[in-house]
């Protein structure tokens, strides 16, 4: 069990495992943030309940109101009349029946049967409906012409009413209608009674219901009704407190995902897959384009923390509900400080990575803002403005300038996008100005406040921290100025030389300047053993063995590292302190030991412990240190002599292998030499000499001119200054 725990503990400390952990952290955070966006907190309201609170739409939605659509379609279907088919054979059959009735009476009257009773019986048996004897007798007495005319009347009347179709439910009404029309014919009672009986017994429906055709027409009517489309805008009230819940309310709640919202498996998988691809693409970019950042797991975690932190802030800002200014509330996405990502990463790491991180963050802000492209575009532009604003950060007030640039960009992009969306100027003017200024303020405040914390967490030194370190009020610099003033002024000169060289080759100017300020702080332990701090002409090394002097001189590197760690200086400054002499030879004491003809002398014993400079910045400090110490000990050197000395020192460092492990090229060395010569020539320019009387009444130069009796000491100081006090 113990071995298993040790194994996993060791695995988690592996750089690869830390990098995977940073990627997983970013992936899970992005997935959770976007998942909550797609699945907001739901409600369990039911139709008929009273809403306990006001519910507003968290996002825009366009949906079909299926309940209302179905109601309209049912109404359209109900308006479709039933389809009836008229059967023409029915009318022909009725007309035939009428003729047969008339012909039956005529035939009975012409019958050769003897006696009235026989003919009456024949009539009654020939008709399809019963009649009385009196009616039969009356009909037999009618002329044939009258009977045929009666049949013609009935045929006409039936044809008129039946041609439009008579349904079963309309049959009785139709019979009543025909009876009324028969009364208008002015027939005698027997004829009218006979006509009524014919209509009563022969009339039948000729219009029959067609369910198939009716259903087809009803379906067409349903399909002709378009869906009822409802548009919901962000922030729109769906239901107010105290209102009774209706089906329409439920439909709107479902449309915006607030009704019994539960994430489906497919949706969760889709969100996770999308965020995984985004994370992989981002980390692969870092792996390809910034391998030094990729190898540092702390920086990967730092990047992830910054992106996730800004997205959490965006989530909070987008959730703010401004009741008194609803138009501003709908535009709060413009106030999301995406620029914080760009400003922090450009300051702590580099600008190219900051630009990509800004693009990723802006895209995700657009997703969190209900997939609104306008907020993603605004975040992208303000983020790029933030990156540009801190690209050349040289002083703390540059952060304020960057925030002003972000705010100005925010105002411009807000006005531009909203003008294109036809937002009224009365709303756009103050809202755009407010949101832009808010974005700039948040970006400046959050960047300035987060920098110290992120520097500590990521082990990164920002330009702001370097600027603070170069302030004369820093405790360690104040101590150096008081306890070792010569070393302090030497460090100032080295910083001036190093800054000019760094600018010439495009190195980190602030790192070089801060490194130069602190490169010799180890001399605080024994300041009097270094020539620039000597008072008078007594040199303590004259009484020491060369080996001991070498040990004292070289120990200022180790002492400097210890003091730097004690004062919690950044690691990159400590590296410059450790590397600014490399493995150079302390030649003056080495030559002194050789001249003393001591035995067992090894050159390695008279070299600094190293390591050699690993960065261009450390190499610049090394060269500036050696050049300044050498030129300082010269007495009004002419420009040609300065240039020769500078090139000789650089050449010596190059041939000694001190520049083998840094990234300086021959072109860089040439530019560095030109920069050194330009600064030193300006420093040691020809001065106007003011004659003064010496003690013997003769005229001499000022105190900077050394008499010939000190020229030997001056040459010794050149050698010592280059090696011992450099």
């Amino acid at each position: 069990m113990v071995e298993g725990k040790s194994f996993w503990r060791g695995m988690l400390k592996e750089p690869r495992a830390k990098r995977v952990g940073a990627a997983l952290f970013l992936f899970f955070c992005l997935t959770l943030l976007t998942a909550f966006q797609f699945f907001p907190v739901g409600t369990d309201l039911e139709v008929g309940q009273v809403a306990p609170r006001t519910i507003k739409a968290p996002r825009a939605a366009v949906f079909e109101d299926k309940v209302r659509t179905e109601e309209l379609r049912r109404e359209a279907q109900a308006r479709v009349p039933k389809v009836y088919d008229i059967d023409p054979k029915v009318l022909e059959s009725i007309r035939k029946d009428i003729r047969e009735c008339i012909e039956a009476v005529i035939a009975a009257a012409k019958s050769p049967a003897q006696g009235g009773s026989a003919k009456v019986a024949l009539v009654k048996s020939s008709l399809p409906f019963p009649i009385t004897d009196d009616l039969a007798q009356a009909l037999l007495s009618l002329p044939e012409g009258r009977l045929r005319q009666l049949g013609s009347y009935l045929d006409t009347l039936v044809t008129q009413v039946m041609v439009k179709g008579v349904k079963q439910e309309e049959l009785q009404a139709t019979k009543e209608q025909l009876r009324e029309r028969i009364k208008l014919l002015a027939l005698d009672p027997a004829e009218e009674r006979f006509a009524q009986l014919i209509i009563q017994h022969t009339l039948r429906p000729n219009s029959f219901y067609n369910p198939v055709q009716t259903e087809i027409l009803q379906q067409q009517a349903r399909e002709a009704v378009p869906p009822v489309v409802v548009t919901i805008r962000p922030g729109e009230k769906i239901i107010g407190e105290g209102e009774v819940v209706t089906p329409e309310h439920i439909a709107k709640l479902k449309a915006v995902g607030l009704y019994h919202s539960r994430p489906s498996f497919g949706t969760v998988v889709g969100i996770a897959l999308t965020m995984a691809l985004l994370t992989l693409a981002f980390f692969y970019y870092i792996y390809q384009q910034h391998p030094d950042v990729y190898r540092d797991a702390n920086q990967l975690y730092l990047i992830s923390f910054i992106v996730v932190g800004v997205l959490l802030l965006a989530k909070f800002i987008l959730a703010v509900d401004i009741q008194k200014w609803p138009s501003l509330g709908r535009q709060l996405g413009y106030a999301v400080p995406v620029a914080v990502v760009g400003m922090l990463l450009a300051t702590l790491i580099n600008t190219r990575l900051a630009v990509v991180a800004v693009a990723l963050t802006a895209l995700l802000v657009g997703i969190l803002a209900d997939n609104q492209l306008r907020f993603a575009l605004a975040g992208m532009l303000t983020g790029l403005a933030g990156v540009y604003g801190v690209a050349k950060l040289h002083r703390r007030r540059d952060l304020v300038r960057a925030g002003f640039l972000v705010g100005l960009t925010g105002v411009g992009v807000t006005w531009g996008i909203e003008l294109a969306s036809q937002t009224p100027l009365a709303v756009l003017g103050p809202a755009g100005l407010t949101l832009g200024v808010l974005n700039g303020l948040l970006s400046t405040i959050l960047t300035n406040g987060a920098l110290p914390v992120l520097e500590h967490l990521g082990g990164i030194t920002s330009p702001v921290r370097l600027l603070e370190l170069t302030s004369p009020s820093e405790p360690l610099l104040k101590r150096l100025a008081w306890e070792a003033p010569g070393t302090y002024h030497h460090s100032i000169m080295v910083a001036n030389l190093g800054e000019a060289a760094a600018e010439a080759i495009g190195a980190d100017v602030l790192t070089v300047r801060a490194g130069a300020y602190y490169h010799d702080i180890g001399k605080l332990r024994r300041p009097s053993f270094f020539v620039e701090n000597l008072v008078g002409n007594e040199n303590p090394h004259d009484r020491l063995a060369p080996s001991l002097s070498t040990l004292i001189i070289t120990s200022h590197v180790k002492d400097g590292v210890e003091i730097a760690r004690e004062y919690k200086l950044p690691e990159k400054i400590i590296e410059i302190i450790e590397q600014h002499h490399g493995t150079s030879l302390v030649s003056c004491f080495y030559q002194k030991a050789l001249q003393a003809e001591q035995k067992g002398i090894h050159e390695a014993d008279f070299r600094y412990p190293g390591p050699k400079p690993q960065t261009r910045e450390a190499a610049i400090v090394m060269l500036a240190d050696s050049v300044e110490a050498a030129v300082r000990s010269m007495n009004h050197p002419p420009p040609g002599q300065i240039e020769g000395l500078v090139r000789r020192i650089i050449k010596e460092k190059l041939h000694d292998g001190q520049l083998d492990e840094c990234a300086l090229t021959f072109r860089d060395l040439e530019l560095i030499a030109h920069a050194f010569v330009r600064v030193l020539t300006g420093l040691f320019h020809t001065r106007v000499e003011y004659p003064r009387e010496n003690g013997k009444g003769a005229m001499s130069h000022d105190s900077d001119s050394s008499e010939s009796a000190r020229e030997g000491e001056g040459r010794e100081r050149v050698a010592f200054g280059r090696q011992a006090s450099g």
Side-chain angles (χ1 to χ4, degrees):
M1 182 66 70
V2 175
E3 291 180 357
K5 290 182 178 179
S6 301
F7 170 77
W8 287 111
R9 192 178 294 113
M11 283 290 294
L12 292 176
K13 292 182 179 179
E14 287 290 326
R16 181 179 298 178
K18 291 182 178 179
R19 290 193 290 269
V20 172
L24 290 176
F25 169 77
L26 181 61
F27 162 70
F28 282 120
C29 289
L30 296 186
T31 302
L32 286 174
L33 284 171
T34 51
F36 278 118
Q37 177 64 23
F38 282 100
F39 305 112
V41 178
T43 180
D44 295 327
L45 293 176
E46 299 294 342
V47 175
Q49 289 184 350
V50 176
R53 60 186 176 88
T54 299
I55 302 176
K56 294 185 178 182
R59 64 172 68 90
V62 178
F63 72 99
E64 176 190 348
D65 189 342
K66 295 183 178 180
V67 175
R68 181 59 181 160
T69 301
E70 183 61 27
E71 288 179 358
L72 294 177
R73 287 176 175 172
R74 282 200 300 267
E75 292 175 1
Q77 178 180 343
R79 287 194 295 269
V80 175
K82 294 181 179 181
V83 177
Y84 287 84
D85 295 334
I86 297 177
D87 188 353
K89 295 179 180 180
V90 174
L91 177 58
E92 292 300 323
S93 177
I94 293 174
R95 295 173 66 188
K96 180 183 177 183
D97 291 343
I98 293 174
R99 287 194 301 269
E100 288 179 350
C101 290
I102 297 297
E103 292 296 333
V105 174
I106 294 173
K110 293 180 178 181
S111 169
Q114 297 298 319
S117 60
K119 289 185 177 181
V120 168
L122 180 60
V123 169
K124 292 177 66 176
S125 63
S126 299
L127 292 174
F129 47 85
I131 61 174
T132 62
D133 291 344
D134 293 340
L135 179 58
Q137 188 64 43
L139 291 176
L140 289 172
S141 63
L142 290 175
E144 179 180 349
R146 293 282 300 271
L147 289 173
R148 292 192 181 280
Q149 187 178 15
L150 177 61
S152 177
Y153 287 157
L154 293 178
D155 184 272
T156 301
L157 291 175
V158 170
T159 301
Q160 288 177 351
V161 297
M162 297 291 288
V163 71
K164 296 180 180 180
V166 176
K167 305 170 187 174
Q168 177 65 46
E169 58 268 24
E170 299 172 346
L171 181 60
Q172 192 61 38
T174 304
K175 290 180 178 180
E176 292 295 332
Q177 179 185 359
L178 288 175
R179 289 193 188 100
E180 294 298 325
R181 295 178 69 175
I182 289 172
K183 291 179 181 180
L184 299 176
L185 294 177
L187 301 173
D188 63 32
E191 288 178 315
E192 182 179 339
R193 178 61 180 159
F194 184 49
Q196 297 285 2
L197 289 174
I198 291 175
I199 293 300
Q200 179 66 32
H201 290 90
T202 61
L203 195 67
R204 54 187 175 273
N206 69 336
S207 181
F208 303 100
Y209 175 59
N210 187 338
V212 175
Q213 187 63 29
T214 301
E215 185 176 354
I216 291 174
L217 293 178
Q218 288 177 342
Q219 187 62 31
Q220 290 176 349
R222 286 179 58 88
E223 293 174 354
V225 176
V228 178
V229 178
V230 178
T231 301
I232 301 176
R233 296 174 176 83
E236 179 181 339
K237 187 184 77 170
I238 296 178
I239 186 171
E241 181 180 354
E243 294 182 11
V244 178
V245 180
T246 64
E248 288 78 12
H249 292 143
I250 298 298
K252 290 183 177 181
L253 291 172
K254 289 180 179 178
V256 296
L258 292 177
Y259 187 72
H260 295 300
S261 57
R262 294 183 180 86
S264 66
F265 178 76
T267 306
V268 173
V269 170
I271 294 171
L273 180 59
T274 304
M275 294 305 109
L277 291 174
L278 275 176
T279 305
L280 286 174
F282 184 50
F283 272 70
Y284 186 73
Y285 163 79
I286 298 175
Y287 168 75
Q288 284 282 0
Q289 302 298 325
H290 308 281
D292 53 335
V293 177
Y294 183 78
R295 287 191 293 267
D296 189 346
N298 288 339
Q299 294 193 36
L300 295 180
Y301 273 108
L302 181 68
I303 296 168
S304 301
F305 273 122
I306 292 173
V307 172
V308 171
V310 171
L311 291 177
L312 284 172
L313 180 60
K315 190 80 173 175
F316 172 77
I317 291 175
L318 293 170
V320 173
D321 184 12
I322 301 180
Q323 298 286 348
K324 294 183 179 180
W325 202 349
S327 61
L328 181 63
R330 291 193 295 271
Q331 297 172 342
L332 278 177
Y334 292 117
V336 176
V338 178
V340 172
V341 174
M343 294 168 70
L344 286 174
L345 293 182
T347 302
L348 296 171
I349 301 178
N350 63 62
T351 55
R352 286 196 302 150
L353 178 58
V355 168
V356 176
V358 162
L360 173 67
T361 309
L363 172 64
L364 292 169
V365 167
I367 294 175
L368 294 180
D370 296 322
N371 301 319
Q372 297 196 48
L373 178 62
R374 56 179 182 155
F375 295 147
L377 179 60
M380 183 69 184
L381 292 176
T382 54
L384 292 177
V387 173
Y388 174 77
V390 300
K392 295 183 179 180
L393 187 67
H394 293 299
R395 51 189 65 86
R396 183 172 288 275
R397 66 172 176 267
D398 288 347
L399 284 176
V400 179
R401 183 196 64 188
F404 176 77
L405 182 61
V406 170
L408 190 62
T409 304
V411 173
V413 72
T414 303
W415 283 348
I417 294 175
E418 292 302 318
L419 276 176
S421 303
Q422 299 182 346
T423 301
L425 289 176
V427 175
L428 175 60
L433 184 62
T434 302
L435 293 169
V437 172
L438 180 61
N439 196 329
L441 284 175
L442 285 175
S443 300
T444 302
I445 294 171
L446 293 175
T447 301
N448 205 10
L451 268 177
V453 178
L454 297 177
E455 283 178 349
H456 177 72
L457 293 176
I460 300 173
T461 305
S462 70
V464 175
R465 175 59 177 150
L466 293 175
L467 288 170
E468 292 172 347
L469 289 175
T470 57
S471 171
S473 62
E474 279 293 303
L476 194 52
L477 289 183
K478 291 174 67 175
R479 182 182 168 192
L480 187 66
W482 279 101
E483 298 180 22
T487 300
Y488 176 78
H489 290 290
H490 158 71
S491 299
I492 299 296
M493 286 301 305
V494 171
N496 292 336
L497 289 171
E499 184 174 2
E503 288 179 348
I505 69 170
D508 190 338
V509 175
L510 289 176
T511 299
V512 170
R513 173 168 283 279
Y517 273 31
Y518 293 91
H519 77 285
D520 271 346
I521 57 174
K523 295 179 180 180
L524 285 172
R525 294 277 173 88
R526 288 171 286 272
S528 61
F529 281 85
F530 298 89
V531 67
E532 67 268 22
N533 298 314
L534 291 180
V535 178
N537 295 325
E538 183 179 357
N539 190 337
H541 291 284
D542 294 339
R543 303 188 302 270
L544 300 177
S547 58
L548 182 57
S549 294
T550 301
L551 180 62
I552 293 173
I553 294 300
T554 57
S555 65
H556 85 276
V557 173
K558 180 176 67 69
D559 295 337
V561 171
E562 292 176 357
I563 294 174
R565 295 196 187 282
E566 178 185 348
Y567 279 81
K568 294 182 173 55
L569 294 185
E571 195 62 33
K572 60 167 58 177
I573 304 302
I574 295 176
E575 290 173 356
I576 290 178
I577 295 172
E578 193 174 28
Q579 300 167 15
H580 80 278
H581 277 299
T583 58
S584 300
L585 179 67
V586 188
S587 58
C588 61
F589 294 122
Y590 177 62
Q591 295 297 331
K592 186 177 180 180
L594 291 177
Q595 292 172 5
E597 298 182 353
Q598 298 178 4
K599 295 181 179 180
I601 295 176
H602 301 286
E603 182 181 298
D605 296 334
F606 291 85
R607 286 187 176 272
Y608 283 91
K612 297 176 182 179
Q614 305 295 304
T615 62
R616 296 194 301 171
E617 289 75 18
I620 289 173
V621 173
M622 167 187 275
L623 296 175
D625 183 29
S626 300
V627 166
E628 195 283 330
V631 174
R632 175 167 42 87
S633 60
M634 300 175 67
N635 188 19
H636 295 294
Q641 188 177 354
I642 290 176
E643 183 173 1
L645 180 60
V646 168
R647 292 185 179 279
R648 178 170 62 80
I649 291 175
I650 293 176
K651 184 177 180 180
E652 288 175 355
K653 294 297 183 184
L654 182 63
H655 288 171
D656 194 31
Q658 300 304 314
L659 306 178
D660 290 351
E661 299 178 13
C662 63
L664 290 178
T665 64
F666 286 113
R667 174 172 173 76
D668 291 339
L669 293 177
E670 182 67 23
L671 294 174
I672 289 171
H674 279 296
F676 285 169
V677 171
R678 185 179 70 253
V679 174
L680 291 171
T681 302
L683 180 65
F684 292 100
H685 63 280
T686 303
R687 310 181 200 175
V688 178
E689 295 187 356
Y690 298 92
R692 61 180 177 83
E693 287 192 11
N694 56 22
K696 299 178 181 180
M699 303 297 292
S700 77
H701 302 297
D702 63 8
S703 60
D704 286 344
S705 300
S706 301
E707 60 269 22
S708 59
R710 295 182 57 120
E711 287 183 358
E713 179 184 353
R715 286 191 295 272
E716 180 182 354
R717 288 170 65 88
V718 170
F720 184 81
R722 267 200 351 261
Q723 303 297 336
S725 68

